[in-house]
Amino acid sequence: MSPRPRIAVLVPKNKIMKTSNTPEGSFAASNSLRFFDDEERDIADYLKEEGDTPPTQMHKAGFAALFIGAVGIVYGDIGTSPIYAFREALKAVSGDGAAVPEVLGLLSILIWTLILIVTVKYVAVLLRADNRGEGGILAIYTLVRLAIGHKSLPVLLLAIAGAALFAGDAIITPAISVLSAVEGAGLIVPALSAWVVPATLVILTLLFVVQSRGTAVISAAFGPITLLWFLALAGLGIWHIAAAPQVLAAFNPVWAVRFLTGNPGIAFVVMGAVFLAVTGAEALYADLGHFGRKPIVAAWLVVVFPALVLNYLGQGALVLSNPAAISDPFFLMAPESLLPVLVLLATAATVIASQAVISGAFSMARGAIQLGLLPRLRVRHTSAGQSGQIYIGAVNWMLLIGVIWLVISFKSSGSLASAYGIAVTGTMVVTTLLWLLYMVNTKRLSLPVALALVAPVGLLELVFLAANLSKIRDGGYVPVLMALALGIVMWAWWRGTQQLLGIAQKSKIGLIGFAEQMEKSSAHVIPGTAFFLASDSAAVPSALLHNLKHNRVRHEQTVLLTVETLRVPTATMEERVSLERLTPGFVRLTLRFGFMETPNVSRALGQARKAGLAFDVMTTTFFLGRRRFVVVGPFGIGRVFDQIFAFLSRLSADPTEYYHLPRNRVVELGERTAI
């Protein structure tokens, strides 16, 4: 029989990232032979005709629906900033009351921060730097990697730093948002102040508990509720501006300059507090793939930006009219009869903002897993209609533990505000640096021009970062320690997988020559098809060698299956499968997934059948190599990272579930590997 022609897809090499989240599949540790034969599920369940299609993507909703959805999801976090941002900025200048120049100066800084950071950087610039429609820190990291064309340690470290800082933000945002909203109840009934922390803990616990059930039902209400919230912000602002219209002068940046130059002693502290007004801006970029650029831009310009500015101006007008309102200018904007309604609406808005951050953390974790920065974690889809709605239990419970600890430790949003800015400013600085590298390496801008464009926003962000770093002792150490811990985990995992790839390269056996020799060998041939998962499509996987050594048989058809991660969010149907028959009995199959996709091998095999791979579902077996890592290196920092990697490998999700393989068709072969 002559070899069949190759059926393949041409994917540029620089689009493929062999993350080796699975060195030899890097399958999680086990040192024994194990059979999954305790379930009645069959591979046929995965290869039904309807399973041959990719997961359903979010339907193309109308512009109005996307617009309202963007208001609810994208801007939920930044929309709750008025509750505490202006209040915290006032604390630095209100020792002897706030004079008109001080209030106008603070308002001017707030307005122009929103303009420069959000409107210019994110809305006008970054939303255009998309990776197949996806945004976020990992998306722009992959764009830079594609532009550079080779591995770059500094770029990798930037991505790790940005992702780790984002995780710190994801823990602090629910805590400070819900805590600040519930504190408003103390203004209605002062006796309730003692119950602020318990009530906050109950709300947050319920929020995290329901994550496993999915948010498809309640998310439909996110947009309308948040839209109502922004309308309330604008209405309250307009009402108070009418009583003190002089605050409109804050649009003149001269007031900001006068304040900063005239108050050098407190300007640094004020800048750290002012930055709270743009927390959540990173969500504009991260949620780009869910709503598209135009709805996000329209929502900002038409609803969010005007509402935020009007509310901040209204708070300033209230402080000028009633200096006693400095203690809590946001909630004191509402008439006493409407204060309970505002507190309830604020609580709902903060819960929505927290939900958006939690969902973003799930998406970030999935991207990091696919890019080889984290070990495999079990990813579960919670919506049949929207592939972006996922649940990662390990991430969810770690976030909950962190949030509860923050609320109990800091007890008030004012205390927690000191810990908030570092994570957000750090992420923004990393995003700016990656955008600069992307524009220069793609030759879209020369280095001098790119630096000139980045300088105004970049310098402002560095000032904000420095101002927030000054609050390390007051709670700023929290996101730093959180980011450091996660960064060490990500670096240890990436380092370990790269180390194992190096070991595998030294001992690998070429696949093509091996396949030709096996056609002539005396090994007993049994009916059926065997799939062997391999991290290197050019090398023989160790599971195949172990099977031949111990069982002394080979299958009638042996398929060497490699799962590759593209440096794009999603793979097209043309990119998904490439197939090559090496000999009559050996086939090389490559399945490709984007870094924002959950790899579903069983579903992709339906596409492989259409590409020409023939196999009987009832006589098919999947062989997985399981490695248990034994640390034997010399004492030192390298050994510490090796031990972290070995520990993480034991926590890694079951590859059968992670790759969506049929349990009763899987055989695992274990081995011990020294690192």
Side-chain angles (χ1 to χ4, degrees), residues 621-635:
T621 305
F622 290 84
F623 289 88
L624 308 181
R626 280 266 198 173
R627 283 184 169 177
R628 183 179 182 86
F629 303 110
V630 181
V631 180
V632 297
F635 288 101

Side-chain angles (χ1 to χ4, degrees), residues 158-379:
L158 279 176
I160 290 176
L165 288 167
F166 181 87
D169 179 25
I171 294 176
I172 297 176
T173 293
I176 191 174
S177 297
V178 177
L179 194 55
S180 63
V182 177
E183 285 170 345
L187 298 175
I188 304 173
V189 182
L192 294 178
S193 298
W195 294 92
V196 168
V197 171
T200 300
L201 293 175
V202 170
I203 293 172
L204 289 170
T205 301
L206 290 175
L207 175 64
F208 282 93
V209 167
V210 301
Q211 294 301 312
S212 61
R213 300 178 180 273
T215 59
V217 176
I218 60 174
S219 62
F222 284 1
I225 292 175
T226 311
L227 181 60
L228 179 61
W229 167 253
F230 282 116
L231 292 176
L233 293 181
L236 289 171
I238 293 172
W239 180 36
H240 286 281
I241 291 171
Q246 65 264 38
V247 294
L248 294 175
F251 281 102
N252 186 344
V254 172
W255 285 104
V257 175
R258 286 178 180 174
F259 178 88
L260 295 174
T261 57
N263 301 275
I266 61 174
F268 211 55
V269 178
V270 167
M271 292 297 281
V274 165
F275 191 79
L276 295 172
V278 292
T279 55
E282 193 75 18
L284 276 76
Y285 191 34
D287 287 324
L288 178 59
H290 292 285
F291 299 98
R293 186 176 68 86
K294 291 182 179 180
I296 292 176
V297 172
W300 172 255
L301 296 177
V302 175
V303 175
V304 181
F305 178 65
L308 292 176
V309 171
L310 287 171
N311 192 264
Y312 285 125
L313 290 173
Q315 291 187 50
L318 174 63
V319 169
L320 292 179
S321 303
N322 179 17
I326 287 178
S327 60
D328 202 334
F330 176 76
F331 284 111
L332 292 176
M333 293 177 76
E336 188 174 349
S337 59
L338 294 179
L339 185 56
V341 177
L342 181 61
V343 171
L344 289 175
L345 186 57
T347 303
T350 54
V351 169
I352 292 172
S354 302
Q355 176 61 60
V357 172
I358 294 169
S359 300
F362 291 158
S363 297
M364 178 74 74
R366 178 171 64 175
I369 292 167
Q370 286 292 80
L371 292 174
L373 300 177
L374 286 176
R376 288 187 314 272
L377 300 173
R378 184 180 179 186
V379 179

Side-chain angles (χ1 to χ4, degrees), residues 68-123:
I68 295 176
V71 170
I73 301 299
V74 177
Y75 297 107
D77 188 2
I78 197 172
T80 59
S81 297
I83 299 176
Y84 47 80
F86 188 61
R87 180 192 69 197
E88 295 303 315
L90 276 173
K91 284 183 179 180
V93 300
S94 59
D96 55 351
V100 173
E102 294 170 331
V103 172
L104 292 180
L106 288 178
L107 291 174
S108 185
I109 296 172
L110 281 167
I111 292 171
W112 283 96
T113 297
L114 289 171
I115 292 173
L116 290 175
I117 299 293
V118 185
T119 308
V120 174
K121 175 185 172 179
Y122 284 97
V123 174

Side-chain angles (χ1 to χ4, degrees), residues 269 272-273 276 417-419 421-422 466-477:
V269 178
L276 295 172
S418 298
I422 295 178
N468 281 286
L469 287 174
S470 68
K471 298 185 290 185
I472 288 286
R473 292 183 179 180
D474 298 325
Y477 63 89

